[in-house]
Amino acid sequence: MQELIKQSFTESIHTKIAALDVLAPIVENAAQIMLNALLAEKKILCCGDGFSHSVASILANALNYRLEHERPSLPALALSADPVLMSMLSDENQATQQFSTQLRAIAQAGDVLVIASAYPNSPTSLRTIEAALSKDMLVVALTGSDGGEISGLLGPNDVEIRVPSDKAIRINEVHQLVAHSICDAIEQTLFPGM
């Protein structure tokens, strides 16, 4: 069993090293897009499907509250996977609309959608991105593998942070690191010395 655990650690480390050089400038671009939106008094809306929802929630809460240092709150929100909404949508065979429904209600042009998906053909993710684009939002998509259909939806001003892996668990691990890196960069830029 210990060898399996060591293998998981090693695989995770190798995935992060492979992602480092490829993703660093892309993550910087995503952080800058989010920073520009915040400076323009826009908000960051985050979501993710399956386990990726935890990455979106961590990013939104770290921006809203803090990552490392006490500082003023930033306007960020994780779209909810609320059980009542899910039940209502499921009754109407609309479960893939769980985030897009909320997004259409609260998003404004210039807001940024950060969407995390280890499965880049997820219908929920695709519907959410379509809703964001219809609201003139910018999209930061955290994906993996070949980017799937998500890549095809993104425009020239959107950013795809594609983890070079086909394994969902490794993709999620790198997404978590990306979320922390983005929040840290935003905090350090807006609140230096705090």
Side-chain angles (χ1 to χ4, degrees):
M1 184 181 294
Q2 192 177 68
E3 283 307 309
L4 290 173
I5 293 167
K6 286 181 178 180
Q7 182 180 346
S8 289
F9 271 75
T10 302
E11 190 175 85
S12 180
I13 290 165
H14 286 296
T15 303
K16 288 176 180 142
I17 289 170
L20 175 64
D21 291 330
V22 175
L23 296 184
I26 300 167
V27 173
E28 179 185 24
N29 188 19
Q32 189 63 56
I33 285 170
M34 294 168 64
L35 180 62
N36 291 345
L38 292 168
L39 291 171
E41 298 185 1
K42 301 298 181 180
K43 59 189 168 295
I44 310 298
L45 300 173
C46 306
C47 67
D49 57 353
F51 289 120
S52 297
H53 191 68
S54 64
V55 172
S57 184
I58 287 168
L59 176 60
N61 286 301
L63 288 169
N64 190 258
Y65 179 58
R66 69 179 173 93
L67 182 65
E68 289 278 350
H69 307 286
E70 295 293 329
R71 45 112 176 129
S73 293
L74 298 170
L77 175 70
L79 299 175
S80 173
D82 181 84
V84 173
L85 176 62
M86 285 302 299
S87 177
M88 292 168 64
L89 292 171
S90 293
D91 285 346
E92 298 174 11
N93 294 319
Q94 298 291 319
T96 61
Q97 303 293 326
Q98 64 178 322
F99 301 127
S100 59
T101 298
Q102 297 168 65
L103 191 117
R104 283 189 189 94
I106 64 173
Q108 298 174 331
D111 289 344
V112 176
L113 170 66
V114 178
I115 187 162
S117 181
Y119 305 101
N121 295 318
S122 156
T124 301
S125 297
L126 296 171
R127 299 301 79 78
T128 306
I129 292 170
E130 289 167 352
L133 297 175
S134 75
K135 300 286 274 186
D136 292 324
M137 298 175 68
L138 291 173
V139 177
V140 173
L142 282 66
T143 67
S145 189
D146 65 358
E149 291 180 47
I150 288 176
S151 291
L153 287 178
L154 302 177
N157 296 320
D158 300 317
V159 176
E160 180 184 10
I161 301 170
R162 187 186 303 172
V163 177
S165 176
D166 292 324
K167 288 187 137 183
I169 193 162
R170 299 298 163 238
I171 293 167
N172 279 320
E173 289 170 350
V174 176
H175 285 176
Q176 178 94 28
L177 180 57
V178 166
H180 287 155
S181 298
I182 287 172
C183 189
D184 188 47
I186 290 171
E187 272 191 0
Q188 302 261 358
T189 302
L190 289 178
F191 310 103
M194 288 191 100

